Amino acid sequence: MSVQALFGARLREVRKQVGYTQAQLAENAGVSTKYVGAIEGGKENPTIEVVARLSRALGLRPAELLEFEHLEARSLTELKKELGRLVRDAAEEAEARRALRVLRALLR
């Protein structure tokens, strides 16, 4: 996951913990609701000024919005689960073996 996407996921996480909608956060930070949605979706990269305004609106220090290591770890766990599901759901043994060979080749 890119830093931009991780920041967006962290912003969404904190916004929901505070109990704000995207519209409430946008209004309190002086940005548009569409912009907040784009940041949360990892499609926009906010400036330092916008990060400061978002953090103030959420009652945080700006650095707290950059604490997203736990989200990165979760995404690795989710990837491992998805890989396991794909192998388990393989229609045939040959298909599962082929997938395993491809993964081994990629991870070397």
Side-chain angles (χ1 to χ4, degrees):
M1 205 184 263
S2 70
V3 171
Q4 189 170 316
L6 286 167
F7 180 84
R10 174 67 174 153
L11 181 63
R12 178 180 295 116
E13 175 184 60
V14 173
R15 173 182 60 77
K16 288 183 175 186
Q17 286 172 353
V18 170
Y20 281 171
T21 63
Q22 286 182 346
Q24 289 169 318
L25 175 57
E27 183 177 333
N28 290 337
V31 297
S32 73
T33 303
K34 184 177 176 181
Y35 188 52
V36 169
I39 294 169
E40 288 185 356
K43 294 181 178 27
E44 285 288 341
N45 197 11
T47 64
I48 295 295
E49 177 61 34
V50 171
V51 171
R53 289 171 27 201
L54 290 167
S55 65
R56 271 194 302 272
L58 293 165
L60 302 173
R61 296 182 332 273
E64 291 176 277
L65 285 178
L66 299 174
E67 295 173 356
F68 43 69
E69 295 83 10
H70 65 288
L71 297 171
E72 207 166 22
R74 186 182 321 149
S75 66
L76 177 58
T77 300
E78 289 171 359
L79 285 172
K80 287 179 179 179
K81 286 180 183 176
E82 180 63 19
L83 286 169
R85 272 194 298 275
L86 288 171
V87 172
R88 278 192 311 276
D89 294 346
E92 300 175 14
E93 183 179 341
E95 191 176 40
R97 289 184 186 282
R98 212 174 19 256
L100 183 58
R101 279 195 309 275
V102 169
L103 278 173
R104 282 186 178 144
L106 288 172
L107 297 174
R108 287 186 185 160

